[in-house]
Amino acid sequence: MIPRQATTVLLQLAKGYPILAITGPRQAGKTTLAQATFPDKRYVSLEDPDERAFADEDPRGFLNRFPDGAILDEAQRCPALFSYLQTRVDAERRMGQFVLTGSQQLGLLSGITQTLAGRVGLVQLLPFSLQELQQGNVPIEGLNDLMWRGMYPPIHDRKLAPEHWFANYVMTYLERDVRQIIAVHTLSLFQRFIKLCAARCGQLLNMASLASDCGVSHGTVRAWLSVLEAGYVVFLLQPHHQNFGKRLVKTPKLYFVDTGLAAFLLGIRDPEHLSIHSARGALFENFVISELLKRRYNQGLASNLYFWRNNTGEEVDVVIEMGEKLMPVEIKSSQTFTPDFLLGLKRWAQFAGDAALPPQLVFGGDENMSRSGVAVHSWRSIQVSN
């Protein structure tokens, strides 16, 4: 097993909360993390029809089987349990008793916020980070190969071919989750929709354009997008609100949690194809932002990532909010550094004034360096602090 960085925060939360919850995309390693972190706890999957029926029909009797707590996998499948869990942990006041895992953000988190508020320590687990792969001594062939394969654990643990695994993932998980949450009458339209989302990776979200190109209503696009967000397939990077005297873009940008899935949906066949594909720059930007997001989540923290763009097109790829200060990060996929990469950062620093922290740049080359007061990071060691 490749060690996960979220283990540390899970153990810390277990000292202060009676219930822990691990949520994230399917196949991200939630169950493996829970069992590895708490090996003495019994494991029960509520995907099992018999276990789920027992929990639905006799929740008190179901929980009485676990006097020392348990790992309850796919807990959102049995929302009736949450009230009984609340009664149990309130009476016993023991920390780290139960560990809940779930793939559907809406189902698990709605149960937590409605019934278990204040009793749950939450960790959002995304696929492997680059640092986890490096620390696990996983061979990395190069940037194009890494972006094409993506970071889902089965591809690295089981050495599966990405194109086969992602095809199965889309059919057996994404489409099933969509059918569970909303009625989809034509799955082919939904398949077209997620491919159109991949083609818009790193772009401002335009729901009207998506609806028109997909041949569905604006409301349908909104519903489908909410499902992809809830399942940790895509995320929206919000624009930062501070205008520095400029009119700002208020539309979020669309990104995929994993570049491998986006590359598959774009029909990219192999690393060589990706190297010349028109979406390579967008996928690299997506890769870097996903790595920054994983770093926050693995620390048990919410995202503090934004982008900044005004109405004249001046833009910074990422703005990291650190208290009252802002750290700008520019992302360039080129393997060769050029001074032009710094122009946007310098311009933004003039707007931001005292609010600006030292600027950072991540590029597709292999060496770290410093240029004109800007820390330049290789994709191999994204050392931006967030």
Side-chain angles (χ1 to χ4, degrees):
M1 173 189 166
I2 298 171
R4 303 305 301 264
Q5 293 175 330
T7 302
T8 302
V9 75
L10 265 182
L11 291 171
Q12 291 172 347
L13 292 173
K15 298 176 181 178
Y17 291 92
I19 299 173
L20 306 176
I22 307 172
T23 188
R26 291 191 181 275
Q27 299 289 300
K30 300 180 298 298
T31 302
T32 303
L33 173 64
Q35 291 179 309
T37 308
F38 305 101
D40 297 332
K41 290 194 180 296
R42 287 183 61 183
Y43 168 80
V44 179
S45 173
L46 290 170
E47 291 276 22
D48 184 313
D50 293 334
E51 294 285 1
R52 189 164 65 249
F54 187 7
D56 281 331
E57 295 165 9
D58 184 9
R60 188 174 283 109
F62 175 85
L63 290 176
N64 283 341
R65 297 158 61 201
F66 315 115
D68 297 320
I71 298 168
L72 303 180
D73 202 4
E74 297 298 335
Q76 79 280 352
R77 298 298 301 274
C78 191
L81 271 181
F82 291 150
S83 295
Y84 291 89
L85 278 170
Q86 175 192 350
T87 304
R88 167 86 170 263
V89 299
D90 285 354
E92 298 186 3
R93 297 184 178 278
R94 283 190 289 152
M95 299 300 107
Q97 255 191 293
F98 287 92
V99 182
L100 312 181
T101 76
S103 301
Q104 276 299 339
Q105 189 179 18
L106 291 178
L108 185 62
L109 292 192
S110 62
I112 289 171
T113 54
Q114 292 171 17
T115 311
L116 298 173
R119 301 167 179 86
V120 178
L122 178 67
V123 172
Q124 299 180 77
L125 185 71
L126 299 185
F128 286 138
S129 68
L130 174 59
Q131 191 173 32
E132 286 173 331
L133 292 180
Q134 291 169 333
Q135 291 174 345
N137 296 317
V138 176
I140 297 172
E141 299 298 329
L143 177 57
N144 292 328
D145 185 79
L146 187 65
M147 292 195 295
W148 173 68
R149 290 183 185 280
M151 308 294 230
Y152 276 97
I155 290 176
H156 295 278
D157 287 342
R158 303 181 214 158
K159 312 245 182 252
L160 296 174
E163 61 271 26
H164 298 148
W165 189 83
F166 282 119
N168 181 68
Y169 186 80
V170 170
M171 285 190 294
T172 58
Y173 292 113
L174 301 192
E175 293 174 1
R176 186 185 71 169
D177 286 346
V178 169
R179 287 195 295 267
Q180 285 180 351
I181 297 177
I182 56 176
V184 177
H185 302 294
T186 309
L187 276 176
S188 61
L189 279 179
F190 178 76
Q191 292 168 352
R192 184 180 181 187
F193 168 73
I194 58 176
K195 289 179 180 179
L196 287 170
C197 287
R200 288 163 168 76
C201 183
Q203 297 180 17
L204 294 175
L205 177 62
N206 187 329
M207 289 198 185
S209 172
L210 266 173
S212 175
D213 290 350
C214 196
V216 297
S217 69
H218 189 280
T220 297
V221 165
R222 186 179 296 276
W224 286 354
L225 194 62
S226 71
V227 173
L228 294 183
E229 283 190 273
Y232 291 91
V233 176
V234 303
F235 64 94
L236 299 181
L237 187 67
Q238 299 294 332
H240 199 269
H241 56 273
Q242 202 157 341
N243 59 29
F244 308 119
K246 300 285 182 178
R247 290 182 58 193
L248 298 183
V249 167
K250 298 181 179 180
T251 305
K253 283 186 172 184
L254 178 67
Y255 292 97
F256 274 67
V257 166
D258 188 75
T259 60
L261 178 56
F264 168 77
L265 293 169
L266 288 168
I268 297 175
R269 300 182 301 275
D270 50 45
E272 290 71 29
H273 185 194
L274 189 149
S275 69
I276 59 172
H277 198 279
S278 60
R280 185 183 183 278
L283 288 174
F284 180 71
E285 182 179 311
N286 196 143
F287 164 74
V288 173
I289 295 173
S290 291
E291 287 298 298
L292 295 175
L293 189 62
K294 290 170 191 175
R295 186 174 301 172
R296 290 289 293 185
Y297 285 176
N298 287 339
Q299 296 170 6
L301 302 173
S303 173
N304 63 346
L305 308 178
Y306 303 86
F307 75 97
W308 188 91
R309 183 174 182 176
N310 65 22
N311 63 327
T312 61
E314 293 171 304
E315 181 174 11
V316 174
D317 293 323
V318 182
V319 172
I320 301 174
E321 197 171 60
M322 305 180 75
E324 296 182 352
K325 299 289 187 176
L326 301 172
M327 178 185 291
V329 181
E330 194 70 10
I331 302 169
K332 299 293 184 183
S333 63
S334 172
Q335 297 180 45
T336 305
F337 173 83
T338 68
D340 288 349
F341 290 173
L342 307 181
L343 295 178
L345 290 170
K346 292 178 178 178
R347 182 71 173 146
W348 183 86
Q350 293 174 354
F351 295 147
D354 293 340
L357 289 170
Q360 315 281 313
L361 186 142
V362 180
F363 80 126
D366 292 330
E367 296 182 9
N368 299 325
M369 62 188 83
S370 178
R371 292 290 186 273
S372 302
V374 177
V376 180
H377 307 283
S378 164
W379 67 272
R380 294 183 181 273
S381 56
I382 304 171
Q383 297 170 352
V384 175
S385 174
N386 65 320

